[in-house]
Amino acid sequence: MEWEKVVDKIRDLILGEIREELRDFKATVSGQPSGFALAIQSINARMESIESRQSNIESELRDIRRAIYETNKRIDELRVELKTEIMQNTQRIDDTNKRIDDLFIEVANIRGDLNKALSQKEVIDDLITRVQRLEDRVLTAA
């Protein structure tokens, strides 16, 4: 029986300590939900801030994409304008080259005619000189 009393005493001591621990644990656990609530509120506030920043970033990205699209559109329009201008300038250059070629041919023809005329003038000058000599002889002989 003494053993039973000792066992009962030990059991009471252990159960008392366990009860005390449970009370402390209960107090700790009952205080933690409010701490958890504060932590959750803090996390929610941070998440809202992050979501707000993410929304702002997405908005800025949309604006950047729109600006890039508009810039690309203007670049494409400028390319078309440049191609048109280049084609027009190429046509003008081709026309100018054709006129230069035509003028070159005309100058070459004029040069040929001039050389022919100079050659004929030399023949005519030679004939005039001969005719004058003949006249001089005839006049001198008479």
Side-chain angles (χ1 to χ4, degrees):
M1 276 258 192
E2 255 183 62
W3 284 102
E4 286 179 11
K5 286 183 182 178
V6 171
V7 168
D8 284 341
K9 274 277 194 207
I10 293 174
R11 187 182 55 177
D12 288 342
L13 283 172
I14 291 173
L15 285 176
E17 282 186 37
I18 290 174
R19 282 187 191 121
E20 186 66 33
E21 287 287 325
L22 281 174
R23 251 185 258 124
D24 289 344
F25 178 74
K26 197 175 186 183
T28 303
V29 168
S30 65
Q32 286 181 352
S34 63
F36 285 140
L38 286 173
I40 290 171
Q41 286 176 350
S42 174
I43 289 171
N44 283 339
R46 287 182 186 161
M47 287 299 292
E48 287 174 7
S49 173
I50 290 170
E51 288 172 353
S52 174
R53 280 190 247 151
Q54 180 182 358
S55 177
N56 289 340
I57 289 170
E58 288 172 350
S59 176
E60 288 176 15
L61 282 174
R62 275 192 301 276
D63 293 343
I64 289 170
R65 283 189 194 116
R66 190 176 310 116
I68 288 171
Y69 173 79
E70 290 298 323
T71 301
N72 286 338
K73 187 176 170 185
R74 282 186 296 214
I75 288 171
D76 290 342
E77 290 170 356
L78 283 174
R79 282 179 187 155
V80 169
E81 288 177 28
L82 284 173
K83 284 179 183 176
T84 302
E85 287 292 324
I86 289 170
M87 289 174 58
Q88 290 173 350
N89 286 337
T90 302
Q91 184 61 46
R92 277 186 234 138
I93 289 169
D94 289 346
D95 292 346
T96 302
N97 285 340
K98 185 174 181 337
R99 285 195 312 246
I100 289 170
D101 291 344
D102 291 345
L103 287 172
F104 182 77
I105 291 170
E106 191 174 332
V107 167
N109 289 337
I110 291 171
R111 183 182 295 150
D113 291 345
L114 182 61
N115 285 337
K116 196 186 291 182
L118 287 173
S119 178
Q120 288 174 352
K121 182 182 180 295
E122 286 177 12
V123 171
I124 291 171
D125 286 345
D126 185 52
L127 285 173
I128 290 173
T129 304
R130 289 181 186 192
V131 168
Q132 282 177 347
R133 281 186 199 152
L134 281 173
E135 283 179 351
D136 287 343
R137 280 188 199 162
V138 169
L139 287 176
T140 338

